Amino acid sequence: MHILEAVKIHKSYGTKFNKQEVLKGVDIRIQQGEFVSIMGASGSGKTTLLNVLSSIDKISNGTIKIEGKEISSMKEKQLAEFRKHHLGFIFQEYNLLDTLTVKENILLPLSITKTPKKEAEQKFTTLAKELGIYELKDKYPNEISGGQKQRTSAARAFIHEPSIIFADEPTGALDSKSASDLLNKLSELNQTRKATIIMVTHDPVAASYCSRVIFIKDGQIYTQLNKGEETRQTFFHDIMRTQGVLGGVQHEHQ
Amino acid sequence: MNINELIFRNLKKNLKNYYLYVFALIFSAALYFAFVTLQYDPSMDQTKGSIKGAAAIRTASILLVAIVSIFLLYANSIFIKRRSKEIGLFQLIGMTKSKIFRILSMENFILYFGSLMVGIFLGFSVSKLIIMILFKITGVEAIATLQFSVQALIQTLVVFGVIYCFIMLMNYAFIKRQTILSLFRTISMTEGKVKKVSFLEMFIGITGLILIIIGYYLSSKLFEGDFTTMNELFLVMTIILASVIIGTYLLYKGSVRFILNIIRKQKNGYLNINEVLSLSSIMFRMKSNALLLTIITVVSALAIGLLSLSYISYYSAEKMAENYVPNDFSFANQKDAVQFKEALQANKMKFSEKIVDVIQVDVNIKQILETGLEGMNFDPNVMTLPVISDQDVKDIDLSATEVLFSGFSDLLQKFMSLKDSGPIELKGQHEIIPQNYIGLNKDTIVSTYFTNGGLPTAIVDKTVYKRLKHDINPDIQKESTIYIGIDMKDSATIEKANEIFQKMKFSDNRENDSRLETSNNQKQNMGLIMFIVGFLGLTFLITSGCILYFKQMDESEDEKPNYTILRKLGFTEGDLLKGIQAKQIFNFGIPLVIGLFHSYFAVQSGWFLFGSEVWTPMIIVMVLYTALYSIFGILSVFYYKKVIKDAL
Ligand SMILES: Nc1ncnc2c1ncn2[C@@H]1O[C@H](COP(=O)(O)OP(=O)(O)OP(=O)(O)O)[C@@H](O)[C@H]1O
Ligand SMILES: [Mg+2]
């Protein structure tokens, strides 16, 4: 079953006279429980794609269905409700509330679902320890490092165990150890909870954790790679090769 | 790009950012100029002259300068904070601090004096309206013609010039203080940490509360007679003011933070959306909030208190007139009385007449005084009181040893409270008559001409009166010893009778009085004071409302990214707005409630100096103030609504 189905989506920014078309007819189908990553050069429209898929931004043309429901025509209130319960986000700009401590930021999604306090506490402790940010729990975002912010943001996306997680460069500011911890965590959520994950990344190592990689170029899907029965190692090399063909961005963040 | 070009580009680009600041400037300038125009206008002389209100106006204009300065400095502080990023960028590309300061000053200069001109023009336009309102209140019948006053213009320019210098100083200090890093960071600096629930904080909060209670307690004792000399009174008033203001600040700084801290601690990180938007946001800015809330509270309390007092006096004008002039018309000059009666008869107006024989006698009241009279110009051994016979007062019959006092003003009672009974001495020229004081009646019997401005009248038995009259002390007698009170039979004719009274041009040494005229005069006096205080009160209201509103605008801009995140996470606009409402109830409600308390105690401590009615006028003022003030709270919620809507 397709949990997410986007058909011929177009997105453009700017005014009528000064229009910039960022997405030019993208078709994407994602299965329940898939771990997909999206790659492409900087400015190719990855964040934009993620935003429209996750209902944060509106498309100019096309249709997007999540769990069979057409979201491009849903009301703002319904969309908000949907996001609250079913989606988790890790944003490129971290997006933490600077008035809240790390712990309060992470627990935010649970207060919506009225999770009992004790359970919330327990979930928080496990997750924060796994991501190595438990000690920071009473600090404010402006007192922690970029990587710590990113992990906080990830913890917030996971804590309510959403059915789809959208992650925009979740490992961009992390060292390789923290990065692989986070990716392992994502894989685990994907395998044990059957959470669907859609991740944007520049890092071929990160992408090799996925079951499928979608390459974007100039607002269109350039190609796709399936992991299939390959090992992570060989899949990694496939990705590297494709990236090379696509044009040199592979070392942009290193 | 040279500096001038940079200045103009900046100005153009930032115009949107500036509108708050410009509004504050225009508003202040208009207000101040309107007020100063009135101050210098010749048509004000009637109102000023009649009650020497010039001093009041001058005091008011000083207060105005103070509040306007606070307002402008605050607006500027928000404004410079908003631009800290830009300043940081300038520094980053290698501009020196002094060069940045010069650019900002030039830019500010253009803006400041541009707005000032607009404000002056506006102020001139509204001053005519204001003077018409003033004339209406005070009953002066004049046509409001206003000239553009050069004097007013110069004064306004000087005052605002000085404020400009202060603003420049402030900006200079701001730029000097900041490093590039902190300039980038000002917006997201946290001011309140959740970590420490400190004992010190609790202590500070409790100290604040105690200080406020001490202030309230002292204020209730202020005119109870515990402090009788003027120096003491002044000292105590200062102490009250200081302890309440400092107490308020400590209360906000300590206990509010302390309580919020405890609540937040208890949540243990598990906050719902309302708490995210109210609790954490308030705590995030606790430091600047404490000071601001204190300013708002004090200004509100001041405004409510002043407005209440002035309205009390306006409201009680008639009661006071009754106190001063016990009948519709009172005469001490018999010839004048006869003339007036003839005139009334000629106009076929019916009246009744009351004649009371009054002499002045030195009385020793030392034994019946509750308190000493240090610092007052009275010697309790020889207090000169008007004395009348019980024959002249209906329904009162005294024995030869009894004395009854009648007609005592509230003010005097506060300074000189009397026991229920006790021995007193009436001193004639030669003999001293010991008597028993048996009590105090409220009604005034003779006019202020005889009572020396509010002292009680002593009523004695007719035999005692006779003895006193034979043994009279000529040095202390008034020219007249006869009080003649005239009451109109038909109250509808009082006004006409008053016109006749006024036309007859009696001598002006308070021998004769008209109650209506006194009441009108009272209103006229109070009218100007009330107008000035009302003007100040409204100004205080608007500025404090604006400061709060600006602060909220500023906060909402700061928190816009937060709203974006929350909406991305799936909170609806409605969810967010509910949290904002909770926050605004705190931000606007707390200073209002505490301000109301402060002003309540202030009014309770001294209302009787202003009039005889307290509850009705005070409650009217409080309700009106609350209503007007709430408008700002509602406006700020609307602003938030817009920001939240634009956030995604
Ligand atoms: N709000 C916006 N208004 C106008 N143009 C935008 C907006 N957001 C993005 N763009 C443009 O759309 C294009 C795609 O942006 P997007 O953020 O999707 O890139 P990206 O693939 O995520 O790049 P990166 O890897 O650098 O994050 C860019 O050219 C950008 O300039
Ligand atoms: Mg991006």
Side-chain angles (χ1 to χ4, degrees):
Chain A
M1 183 207 160
H2 289 141
I3 191 165
L4 193 151
E5 195 172 5
V7 181
K8 291 208 169 39
I9 46 174
H10 288 260
K11 171 75 185 173
S12 39
Y13 288 114
T15 59
K16 231 182 211 167
F17 308 104
N18 185 15
K19 214 187 244 167
Q20 184 196 358
E21 200 167 26
V22 180
L23 298 180
K24 306 166 183 162
V26 176
D27 292 311
I28 287 184
R29 281 184 187 76
I30 289 169
Q31 301 274 348
Q32 167 92 51
E34 248 191 311
F35 188 175
V36 179
S37 82
I38 299 171
M39 299 188 83
S42 179
S44 58
K46 304 182 296 294
T47 299
T48 310
L49 178 62
L50 216 57
N51 281 346
V52 295
L53 289 182
S54 60
S55 80
I56 286 171
D57 212 344
K58 285 209 154 56
I59 44 173
S60 320
N61 231 320
T63 55
I64 299 174
K65 282 186 194 163
I66 296 187
E67 289 174 337
K69 271 175 276 180
E70 164 93 43
I71 63 161
S72 31
S73 63
M74 268 205 242
K75 288 252 160 53
E76 173 60 33
K77 219 175 168 149
Q78 286 171 292
L79 284 177
E81 201 59 29
F82 184 73
R83 286 202 293 272
K84 269 199 290 206
H85 295 287
H86 304 289
L87 305 188
F89 297 95
I90 309 172
F91 301 104
Q92 194 169 11
E93 293 103 5
Y94 316 139
N95 279 344
L96 299 175
L97 296 184
D98 52 7
T99 54
L100 300 184
T101 61
V102 165
K103 183 174 182 184
E104 287 163 349
N105 260 300
I106 294 175
L107 285 178
L108 204 55
L110 287 188
S111 79
I112 309 167
T113 50
K114 307 249 170 0
T115 316
K117 223 169 159 174
K118 221 169 169 176
E119 197 187 324
E121 184 68 30
Q122 207 186 340
K123 278 186 179 173
F124 166 75
T125 314
T126 340
L127 194 56
K129 281 192 174 146
E130 272 176 19
L131 292 171
I133 46 173
Y134 186 75
E135 274 65 43
L136 307 171
K137 67 182 164 65
D138 290 325
K139 292 209 169 194
Y140 283 90
N142 64 353
E143 300 167 321
I144 61 179
S145 78
Q148 288 164 339
K149 279 183 208 166
Q150 199 152 44
R151 280 176 279 164
T152 305
S153 171
R156 187 181 61 194
F158 300 155
I159 194 139
H160 59 307
E161 293 164 6
S163 47
I164 309 183
I165 295 170
F166 292 94
D168 197 348
E169 293 191 41
T171 56
L174 300 181
D175 61 274
S176 57
K177 166 79 174 64
S178 319
S180 64
D181 284 352
L182 183 64
L183 289 165
N184 282 326
K185 182 73 200 162
L186 278 173
S187 293
E188 185 198 314
L189 283 170
N190 174 244
Q191 263 142 40
T192 57
R193 298 199 192 286
K194 296 275 167 282
T196 311
I197 300 173
I198 302 165
M199 172 174 80
V200 166
T201 185
H202 286 286
D203 179 6
V205 180
S208 67
Y209 279 78
C210 302
S211 49
R212 181 154 64 113
V213 181
I214 299 171
F215 290 91
I216 302 263
K217 190 181 182 186
D218 300 329
Q220 276 172 324
I221 293 188
Y222 177 75
T223 183
Q224 301 197 19
L225 288 179
N226 276 300
K227 187 175 178 190
E229 297 303 311
E230 283 176 74
T231 61
R232 235 183 70 201
Q233 202 58 32
T234 50
F235 192 44
F236 170 74
H237 286 295
D238 284 352
I239 297 167
M240 287 289 277
R241 211 173 308 124
T242 315
Q243 237 185 353
V245 175
L246 206 62
V249 283
Q250 57 263 63
H251 294 298
E252 203 194 53
H253 279 258
Q254 264 75 33
Chain B
M1 191 162 32
N2 67 22
I3 279 215
N4 282 339
E5 216 175 309
L6 202 60
I7 291 168
F8 276 106
R9 283 210 187 170
N10 251 328
L11 201 62
K12 245 165 67 191
K13 200 180 83 227
N14 281 304
L15 221 52
K16 222 179 75 198
N17 256 339
Y18 277 101
Y19 72 110
L20 256 189
Y21 186 54
V22 170
F23 167 79
L25 266 168
I26 293 181
F27 172 77
S28 310
L31 204 76
Y32 188 74
F33 186 71
F35 196 81
V36 181
T37 303
L38 293 188
Q39 190 178 347
Y40 287 117
D41 198 76
S43 64
M44 284 285 287
D45 286 348
Q46 312 184 45
T47 27
K48 269 197 284 191
S50 64
I51 46 96
K52 300 184 185 68
I57 289 189
R58 201 166 312 129
T59 320
S61 84
I62 292 171
L63 276 173
L64 256 187
V65 171
I67 189 86
V68 160
S69 312
I70 292 181
F71 188 40
L72 289 182
L73 286 174
Y74 182 73
N76 180 63
S77 75
I78 286 188
F79 178 56
I80 187 129
K81 195 188 106 191
R82 284 248 146 270
R83 305 191 54 198
S84 63
K85 228 175 196 159
E86 186 186 344
I87 298 169
L89 272 175
F90 282 160
Q91 259 181 288
L92 207 59
I93 58 171
M95 230 181 248
T96 61
K97 282 183 176 180
S98 60
K99 194 160 184 183
I100 296 173
F101 176 68
R102 237 175 317 152
I103 294 179
L104 276 188
S105 304
M106 259 321 285
E107 190 192 291
N108 220 330
F109 185 88
I110 299 169
L111 207 70
Y112 190 92
F113 288 95
S115 315
L116 188 58
M117 288 308 138
V118 177
I120 286 174
F121 176 75
L122 263 177
F124 181 67
S125 326
V126 294
S127 57
K128 184 161 177 170
L129 184 75
I130 293 173
I131 205 168
M132 265 153 47
I133 296 170
L134 173 62
F135 284 166
K136 181 108 187 135
I137 295 175
T138 56
V140 171
E141 275 169 39
I143 295 147
T145 51
L146 273 180
Q147 258 114 51
F148 190 87
S149 153
V150 179
Q151 225 176 339
L153 179 69
I154 292 171
Q155 186 171 329
T156 308
L157 286 179
V158 168
V159 166
F160 279 81
V162 172
I163 297 178
Y164 177 76
C165 294
F166 275 110
I167 287 178
M168 284 303 101
L169 264 176
M170 191 170 148
N171 288 353
Y172 185 72
F174 182 87
I175 294 172
K176 262 264 126 70
R177 221 171 340 111
Q178 307 294 317
T179 61
I180 295 181
L181 207 64
S182 63
L183 278 168
F184 276 120
R185 222 188 262 157
T186 25
I187 288 175
S188 62
M189 285 280 266
T190 169
E191 293 171 356
K193 291 278 171 58
V194 74
K195 284 177 218 159
K196 300 153 257 166
V197 175
S198 76
F199 184 72
L200 183 74
E201 220 157 55
M202 189 170 70
F203 178 75
I204 289 176
I206 291 172
T207 311
L209 206 61
I210 290 173
L211 278 177
I212 292 177
I213 291 171
I214 289 176
Y216 284 176
Y217 177 76
L218 283 179
S219 80
S220 71
K221 289 275 168 244
L222 186 58
F223 296 109
E224 296 271 283
D226 292 338
F227 313 106
T228 35
T229 71
M230 286 303 165
N231 280 340
E232 256 175 40
L233 271 177
F234 189 72
L235 184 74
V236 173
M237 279 192 211
T238 317
I239 293 175
I240 292 173
L241 261 181
S243 87
V244 170
I245 292 176
I246 297 172
T248 309
Y249 179 69
L250 295 182
L251 182 76
Y252 286 138
K253 196 167 175 72
S255 50
V256 170
R257 194 157 160 186
F258 178 70
I259 293 167
L260 294 184
N261 237 333
I262 289 182
I263 296 176
R264 197 161 174 189
K265 257 282 205 237
Q266 263 179 356
K267 298 278 167 196
N268 198 12
Y270 197 49
L271 302 179
N272 68 31
I273 180 73
N274 282 352
E275 290 151 357
V276 167
L277 289 172
S278 51
L279 191 66
S280 71
S281 157
I282 289 163
M283 286 183 70
F284 193 66
R285 276 170 255 280
M286 201 59 225
K287 210 170 89 199
S288 54
N289 272 342
L291 184 63
L292 197 74
L293 289 180
T294 308
I295 293 178
I296 302 294
T297 307
V298 171
V299 169
S300 300
L302 219 66
I304 303 171
L306 289 175
L307 286 170
S308 295
L309 289 179
S310 74
Y311 190 49
I312 284 171
S313 43
Y314 191 74
Y315 194 86
S316 326
E318 267 165 47
K319 306 262 159 160
M320 306 262 275
E322 258 168 58
N323 237 336
Y324 290 146
V325 189
N327 299 90
D328 285 345
F329 298 94
S330 68
F331 289 88
N333 183 324
Q334 272 171 290
K335 258 207 335 250
D336 290 348
V338 170
Q339 248 183 14
F340 183 59
K341 281 187 284 183
E342 276 167 6
L344 285 183
Q345 270 153 355
N347 281 288
K348 297 208 169 52
M349 292 155 98
K350 295 211 174 71
F351 59 90
S352 64
E353 186 181 13
K354 181 177 91 176
I355 299 175
V356 182
D357 209 22
V358 194
I359 53 171
Q360 304 286 324
V361 176
D362 282 339
V363 184
N364 179 355
I365 58 163
K366 193 160 187 177
Q367 305 255 23
I368 58 164
L369 270 184
E370 293 265 25
T371 51
L373 287 175
E374 305 87 27
M376 308 248 327
N377 296 326
F378 286 123
D379 178 359
N381 293 314
V382 280
M383 181 172 266
T384 308
L385 295 181
V387 174
I388 61 173
S389 155
D390 62 352
Q391 255 184 327
D392 285 330
V393 190
K394 239 196 259 169
D395 302 329
I396 289 181
D397 190 14
L398 301 169
S399 77
T401 57
E402 288 173 335
V403 176
L404 182 70
F405 281 6
S406 191
F408 205 59
S409 81
D410 282 344
L411 173 60
L412 209 62
Q413 194 149 10
K414 287 287 162 188
F415 280 103
M416 191 179 92
S417 55
L418 298 177
K419 292 178 185 157
D420 290 342
S421 62
I424 59 171
E425 291 172 342
L426 304 178
K427 297 176 175 178
Q429 176 88 309
H430 306 291
E431 70 169 331
I432 292 176
I433 310 173
Q435 292 269 309
N436 257 329
Y437 163 73
I438 59 161
L440 189 61
N441 262 7
K442 197 95 184 129
D443 323 309
T444 322
I445 298 169
V446 295
S447 63
T448 36
Y449 173 78
F450 297 100
T451 61
N452 302 314
L455 288 178
T457 306
I459 308 173
V460 298
D461 184 57
K462 60 176 184 288
T463 55
V464 179
Y465 187 76
K466 241 178 225 149
R467 271 165 73 192
L468 284 168
K469 196 157 187 186
H470 282 299
D471 190 27
I472 206 161
N473 178 357
D475 297 342
I476 57 170
Q477 294 311 306
K478 307 257 168 198
E479 226 167 279
S480 159
T481 57
I482 305 264
Y483 168 76
I484 301 166
I486 291 176
D487 277 317
M488 303 309 294
K489 280 257 160 73
D490 179 3
S491 59
T493 58
I494 293 178
E495 204 152 317
K496 182 120 189 280
N498 186 42
E499 269 169 40
I500 297 171
F501 181 88
Q502 295 303 322
K503 272 204 202 103
M504 300 185 79
K505 299 235 181 329
F506 298 121
S507 59
D508 202 21
N509 51 358
R510 294 222 134 246
E511 281 180 322
N512 313 322
D513 254 323
S514 147
R515 186 197 283 172
L516 181 66
E517 195 62 18
T518 310
S519 157
N520 283 348
N521 268 334
Q522 194 74 16
K523 279 186 185 167
Q524 225 171 76
N525 295 353
M526 283 319 171
L528 183 66
I529 302 273
M530 185 176 161
F531 171 78
I532 292 171
V533 173
F535 191 90
L536 277 180
L538 279 179
T539 310
F540 283 15
L541 168 70
I542 295 173
T543 33
S544 63
C546 280
I547 289 178
L548 263 181
Y549 183 70
F550 286 8
K551 161 102 180 148
Q552 291 311 311
M553 283 174 96
D554 183 43
E555 256 178 46
S556 68
E557 294 297 336
D558 281 356
E559 290 191 0
K560 193 170 176 177
N562 288 2
Y563 307 145
T564 312
I565 301 167
L566 288 169
R567 287 195 60 194
K568 277 184 184 174
L569 290 180
F571 291 97
T572 59
E573 286 174 48
D575 293 338
L576 297 191
L577 214 58
K578 254 186 258 154
I580 293 299
Q581 277 159 2
K583 171 168 134 179
Q584 294 314 71
I585 285 174
F586 174 89
N587 272 330
F588 283 82
I590 296 236
L592 178 66
V593 169
I594 295 184
L596 282 173
F597 266 109
H598 286 357
S599 60
Y600 171 81
F601 280 94
V603 169
Q604 285 303 324
S605 84
W607 64 270
F608 37 78
L609 307 181
F610 292 82
S612 48
E613 299 280 327
V614 60
W615 290 105
T616 325
M618 185 177 75
I619 289 172
I620 289 176
V621 167
M622 285 181 166
V623 168
L624 270 179
Y625 193 91
T626 306
L628 290 174
Y629 180 85
S630 307
I631 291 176
F632 288 96
I634 293 167
L635 282 179
S636 78
V637 171
F638 277 116
Y639 189 83
Y640 269 103
K641 198 171 172 174
K642 209 184 103 226
V643 172
I644 290 172
K645 197 173 168 169
D646 293 343
L648 195 67

